[in-house]
Amino acid sequence: MSTAVTTAESIHRRRHYLNADYGIRSWLLTTDHKRIALLYLFSITFFFALGGLFAVLIRLELLTPAGDMMTSDTYNKVFTMHGIMMVFFFLIPSVPATLGNFLIPMMIGARDLAFPKLNLASWYLFMVGGMFAMYSVVTGGIDTGWTFYTPFSTTYSNTKVIPAALGILIAGFSSIFTGLNFIVTVHRMRAPGLTWFRLPLFVWANYAASLIMVLGTPVLAITIVLVFLERAFHIGIFDPRLGGDPILFQHLFWFYSHPAVYIMILPSMGVMSELISAFSRKRIFGYTFVAFSSVAIAVFGFLVWGHHMFVSGQSVYAAMVFSILSYLVAIPSAVKVFNWTATLYKGSVSYQTPMLYAFGFLGLFTIGGLTGLFLAALGVDVHVTDTYFVVAHFHYIMVGGVIMGYLGGLHFWWPKITGRLYPEGWAKLSALVIFLGFNLTFFPQFVLGYLGMPRRYHAYPEEFQVLNVMSSAGASILAVGYLLPLFYLLWSMRYGPEAGPNPFDARGLEWQMASPPPTHNFEQVPIVSEEAYAYHTAQEVPVAG
Amino acid sequence: MQDSHTTAAHHPAFQHHFETMEQQRQASTLGMWLFLITEILFFGGMFTVYLVYRNWYFASFAAGSLTLDVTLGTFNTVVLIGSSLTMALAVHGAETGKRGMLVGFLILTILLGATFLGVKAVEYTHKFEEHHVPGPSFRFGSEELRHFHEEATMLRSTQIHGVELGEVQLFFSLYFAMTGMHALHMIIGIGVLSVLVWKARHGRYSPEYFAPVEYAGLYWHFVDIVWIFLFPLLYLITRHVGVHP
């Protein structure tokens, strides 16, 4: 099929999805999955910047022990908005909505997702949700924390809980529809010959994440509706004064919000499998194990929500069961990490930018995962609950894991998306700066938490200052690391050298078409006759003998 | 591949990112079922809340439940099951290409749905009059309690004590949240069916293409099934209060 591509023709003259139509209307009314992926890319970048801005304010406040930059009320609003923006409007949609949207149809040999209009509607829902959340910021903010714990959120908070909650409800429907679209597409639109066990692992990972989106998000939706009803009409479902139970809110909330972590991390893990096999030029070691581990993570993910409530008053026996189940998640996670490592072994590894991000992912995810075991242990968890240890742990997993996968994937497929190459030197620098900045920001927080600094406080005892200053310094390095790609990727869209269809010599259907791809991806649906990752390196053959 | 693509392309409802009409149908069927699964989970959250509290606050929930009008509830259940039948007949009309049958039964389904909502409105009005709506003016007085105790004694219940005002209010909160969310789904369903009537009259459906009718039918049946669970849980379950351990 690669013969169909005429590389000699310049990007400007060839018709592709970017220049097939012009004007704002052609973008806002598009049903092309690739254009919708770009719409998501821009809006998610915007929300990420907004969430990052709140992070900067948090780290500035925590530079000094005294709560001197803002009042505690303002601080509560700042970390709440940081959490809401980052979790619901960046981490959850980032990889599936951008890379997943762009790649899944191409990877399985389809012309589009099964429901293109629904896909566009998802983006609009996402934007409307984001507008609601931003409305709550500009009209005074919300101070409940991103978890909306009741009865504070339903009764006592005097801030804009309702618009923020509605924003998350609406964005949740966007997530449900995206997941639904992916599942149907993967089930029904695979090209002839593309069996389940020939699918790229990126598709498997997004499939598993979609299952969680479809099965978890509705429960969050109804929970938010109940919070809304209770706040608006003072009915007592979660208010203990009226017979309700705030713990029940936590059960329902975490039934979605713990699996939500796997909505974030699974697609990034899918990116990892693609990157590691492409840049070590080997088939993923234990393909079926990696594929099934995604599904296993999705399944186990639904059984562990109670570990958020070890100290909330649930029964000791429930806590023990949730503790054991939480350990179980480590098994499929470790299967992935070990199999990636085994893939690297004796591979011909090349250290290009996406691979640097992949290594960054391995480092951060491993630290985050191992500290997750600390937190799954009932006794240790009681000691570090609601301290910076927890903050550091979930930033390593959620932020470290997702950002590394997201940026690694974005770099890997950037030539496919834009048809142009980015400057390799700058890109490598950004990967390095982000990795260092990230560790400098969040590693001290493990120590802080272990020493007893609670989360969500805007002032702290003086002995914690050194570590906090380190963390804030790390955050400014991290910010530079995030800004670099913004500049050079934008630069490369105009001035980057043309990439050709397959600059990394990678496998997979998406690399067999021109960059950028034509609007309908495939003139003729391809017939797949080989396994995924059919890399053959020169070394591979003699080593075996 | 190319051939099957171009030959299937003649139907006006065919979308060109699919290979065949059959593939399009399979995709949308799977999509609809997945959507219904999300709906089950959506209601599932409320069912969980209801079951937890009913277990904890048994006496209060029994007392609250006994004030609901079983006659109206039963009538509505019959109406709704009837509407499921007419909906199924409408789908059959679409399948066999009988436009009159399709339009007629769709309209009948809408009328039955509206009847259900009308009865629901009457029930809600009663609740307002009796001050059984959660909020500052909520009342659950000696009259209701006496009624409950009589029923419970007659049925030799051991659990007649411990009726708390807050807990009864919780029962009514859940009653309004669950039946309200169900009614909202009915209203959406009636909207969808109205669009179908309009399109069916313009001959948009044929035995080759009637997927939207089929999916609206699935949705309608789903909403009915939710009621089939709500009715016993809210109205009937307490009637066996005596044999509960």
Side-chain angles (χ1 to χ4, degrees):
Chain A
M1 238 167 339
S2 48
T3 48
V5 175
T6 47
T7 35
E9 220 177 339
S10 123
I11 292 177
H12 298 290
R13 257 182 263 144
R14 201 168 46 77
R15 263 175 79 82
H16 49 73
Y17 81 102
L18 288 170
N19 65 9
D21 252 320
Y22 289 100
I24 192 88
R25 268 176 64 92
S26 80
W27 281 88
L28 292 181
L29 298 177
T30 184
T31 51
D32 182 351
H33 66 102
K34 298 179 288 299
R35 284 193 164 202
I36 294 171
L38 288 192
L39 291 177
Y40 270 115
L41 179 64
F42 291 124
S43 34
I44 281 172
T45 306
F46 171 74
F47 289 127
F48 177 63
L50 206 60
L53 192 69
F54 289 112
V56 168
L57 292 175
I58 293 172
R59 284 321 317 171
L60 280 177
E61 168 64 62
L62 295 178
L63 260 178
T64 54
D68 44 9
M69 198 182 97
M70 52 184 107
T71 63
S72 53
D73 280 344
T74 314
Y75 185 77
N76 290 347
K77 290 175 183 172
V78 167
F79 74 68
T80 300
M81 280 324 292
H82 169 66
I84 289 176
M85 281 296 161
M86 287 303 199
V87 170
F88 294 107
F89 296 96
F90 174 68
L91 292 172
I92 287 177
S94 58
V95 179
T98 55
L99 296 174
N101 238 325
F102 195 91
L103 292 165
I104 285 174
M106 301 202 301
M107 281 180 163
I108 65 169
R111 292 194 185 86
D112 206 324
L113 288 173
F115 309 117
K117 284 181 198 158
L118 188 68
N119 196 19
L120 181 65
S122 297
W123 181 73
Y124 275 102
L125 283 173
F126 177 70
M127 292 311 286
V128 171
M131 295 303 139
F132 268 98
M134 289 203 302
Y135 169 81
S136 86
V137 178
V138 295
T139 54
I142 157 176
D143 65 353
T144 59
W146 75 275
T147 50
F148 295 98
Y149 272 6
T150 56
F152 183 69
S153 63
T154 51
T155 310
Y156 301 106
S157 172
N158 287 319
T159 53
K160 300 284 179 187
V161 177
I162 287 179
L166 280 180
I168 289 164
L169 177 73
I170 296 167
F173 282 108
S174 152
S175 179
I176 290 174
F177 290 143
T178 303
L180 195 150
N181 224 335
F182 285 177
I183 292 175
V184 174
T185 307
V186 173
H187 269 274
R188 293 290 179 224
M189 315 232 348
R190 280 171 289 130
L194 189 58
T195 60
W196 279 91
F197 293 102
R198 283 177 178 172
L199 282 177
L201 288 165
F202 179 77
V203 177
W204 266 105
N206 275 283
Y207 178 78
S210 302
L211 288 179
I212 306 176
M213 291 187 211
V214 168
L215 298 179
T217 320
V219 179
L220 178 76
I222 194 62
T223 311
I224 290 177
V225 168
L226 292 175
V227 166
F228 166 78
L229 290 176
E230 180 150 342
R231 194 172 169 85
F233 304 111
H234 304 289
I235 68 175
I237 289 172
F238 301 122
D239 186 347
R241 281 185 317 175
L242 301 169
D245 184 6
I247 304 290
L248 189 65
F249 169 83
Q250 295 186 25
H251 277 294
L252 291 171
F253 179 82
W254 287 114
F255 179 81
Y256 165 78
S257 293
H258 189 81
V261 175
Y262 304 114
I263 299 180
M264 303 171 204
I265 196 73
L266 274 169
S268 270
M269 289 172 153
V271 173
M272 294 313 299
S273 298
E274 301 296 317
L275 299 185
I276 285 179
S277 69
F279 292 99
S280 41
R281 314 221 56 75
K282 275 175 70 185
R283 188 168 193 262
I284 282 281
F285 179 86
Y287 169 95
T288 40
F289 277 88
V290 180
F292 277 124
S293 66
S294 289
V295 180
I297 288 175
V299 173
F300 286 142
F302 276 112
L303 305 175
V304 302
W305 76 87
H307 70 218
H308 293 265
M309 299 153 63
F310 282 163
V311 298
S312 71
Q314 72 178 355
S315 84
V316 166
Y317 299 104
M320 279 162 60
V321 170
F322 279 122
S323 174
I324 292 163
L325 288 170
S326 301
Y327 279 120
L328 287 182
V329 184
I331 297 169
S333 310
V335 163
K336 282 185 187 288
V337 173
F338 288 139
N339 282 0
W340 291 327
T341 317
T343 308
L344 290 168
Y345 179 68
K346 287 192 176 167
S348 61
V349 177
S350 61
Y351 298 91
Q352 298 182 58
T353 309
M355 192 59 157
L356 293 188
Y357 278 108
F359 283 127
F361 178 99
L362 282 178
L364 301 183
F365 180 74
T366 305
I367 295 175
L370 291 176
T371 51
L373 291 174
F374 291 33
L375 294 170
L378 206 44
V380 182
D381 183 81
V382 170
H383 176 68
V384 293
T385 289
D386 276 334
T387 67
Y388 265 83
F389 191 90
V390 176
V391 175
H393 158 71
F394 71 69
H395 276 86
Y396 264 89
I397 288 281
M398 286 157 57
V399 185
V402 173
I403 292 267
M404 288 293 170
Y406 179 59
L407 287 178
L410 198 60
H411 281 84
F412 185 49
W413 284 291
W414 188 255
K416 182 54 66 185
I417 296 170
T418 62
R420 295 185 184 270
L421 294 171
Y422 49 80
E424 184 71 14
W426 285 101
K428 280 184 170 166
L429 180 70
S430 79
L432 198 68
V433 171
I434 290 178
F435 184 75
L436 292 176
F438 189 92
N439 279 296
L440 187 57
T441 309
F442 294 107
F443 203 85
Q445 297 186 5
F446 278 123
V447 185
L448 276 172
Y450 189 76
L451 294 175
M453 175 159 164
R455 67 191 287 202
R456 295 182 167 172
Y457 278 41
H458 82 314
Y460 54 86
E462 271 180 30
E463 66 256 35
F464 292 143
Q465 190 175 13
V466 175
L467 288 164
N468 269 302
V469 170
M470 279 168 73
S471 183
S472 295
S476 53
I477 295 172
L478 194 54
V480 173
Y482 289 151
L483 285 173
L484 279 175
L486 188 67
F487 288 118
Y488 66 74
L489 287 181
L490 282 174
W491 177 88
S492 82
M493 282 169 82
R494 199 174 170 84
Y495 304 105
E498 292 191 15
N502 190 359
F504 301 112
D505 195 21
R507 293 304 175 115
L509 291 175
E510 79 272 25
W511 298 108
Q512 297 184 11
M513 63 183 76
S515 311
T519 300
H520 286 295
N521 301 349
F522 300 96
E523 273 307 308
Q524 220 171 331
V525 168
I527 295 170
V528 180
S529 57
E530 59 178 23
E531 305 293 308
Y533 314 114
Y535 292 104
H536 299 290
T537 54
Q539 296 101 307
E540 208 175 278
V541 185
V543 163
Chain B
M1 283 290 111
Q2 190 66 15
D3 286 340
S4 66
H5 182 229
T6 38
T7 47
H10 57 79
H11 197 279
F14 181 70
Q15 294 170 291
H16 289 267
H17 61 287
F18 288 107
E19 278 296 290
T20 59
M21 199 70 188
E22 174 64 12
Q23 188 191 30
Q24 172 175 343
R25 201 188 59 76
Q26 285 181 345
S28 39
T29 306
L30 180 61
M32 190 63 205
W33 279 104
L34 273 173
F35 170 71
L36 292 181
I37 289 175
T38 69
E39 287 278 78
I40 290 172
L41 284 151
F42 185 76
F43 279 98
M46 282 186 298
F47 280 115
T48 308
V49 173
Y50 178 82
L51 292 174
V52 167
Y53 286 141
R54 187 177 180 280
N55 197 29
W56 284 356
Y57 309 138
F58 180 80
S60 305
F61 270 47
S65 173
L66 277 174
T67 66
L68 297 183
D69 192 330
V70 186
T71 320
L72 288 182
T74 312
F75 176 74
N76 252 353
T77 309
V78 175
V79 166
L80 216 48
I81 291 175
S83 81
S84 253
L85 175 68
T86 56
M87 187 68 225
L89 289 168
V91 174
H92 182 70
E95 244 169 344
T96 50
K98 294 173 184 148
R99 196 192 296 181
M101 184 180 177
L102 168 61
V103 173
F105 277 114
L106 280 178
I107 290 174
L108 204 53
T109 311
I110 292 172
L111 289 177
L112 287 170
T115 310
F116 177 92
L117 289 174
V119 173
K120 202 79 231 158
V122 171
E123 283 191 78
Y124 277 6
T125 316
H126 288 168
K127 293 285 136 208
F128 271 96
E129 285 164 2
E130 290 158 10
H131 292 277
H132 286 169
V133 180
S137 63
F138 182 79
R139 259 202 339 251
F140 197 79
S142 46
E143 182 68 19
E144 288 94 337
L145 277 177
R146 207 184 61 235
H147 175 62
F148 169 62
H149 280 239
E150 274 167 15
E151 290 270 336
T153 320
M154 200 174 72
L155 293 161
R156 289 193 298 267
S157 169
T158 50
Q159 301 203 344
I160 54 169
H161 298 297
V163 176
E164 301 272 343
L165 198 64
E167 296 167 7
V168 182
Q169 197 167 337
L170 195 56
F171 171 82
F172 285 107
S173 299
L174 286 167
Y175 167 80
F176 278 104
M178 294 168 93
T179 56
M181 198 55 77
H182 178 259
L184 181 66
H185 276 76
M186 298 272 313
I187 293 168
I188 293 169
I190 288 175
V192 170
L193 293 187
S194 309
V195 175
L196 287 185
V197 169
W198 189 77
K199 287 194 169 176
R201 283 170 61 99
H202 288 75
R204 290 283 288 276
Y205 305 117
S206 62
E208 290 81 46
Y209 176 73
F210 59 96
V213 183
E214 197 183 343
Y215 303 144
L218 283 177
Y219 174 83
W220 192 264
H221 297 316
F222 166 79
V223 177
D224 289 358
I225 289 170
V226 170
W227 178 257
I228 299 298
F229 281 93
L230 285 180
F231 177 57
L233 277 183
L234 294 170
Y235 291 73
L236 297 182
I237 200 165
T238 311
R239 310 284 149 177
H240 78 302
V241 66
V243 288
H244 195 279

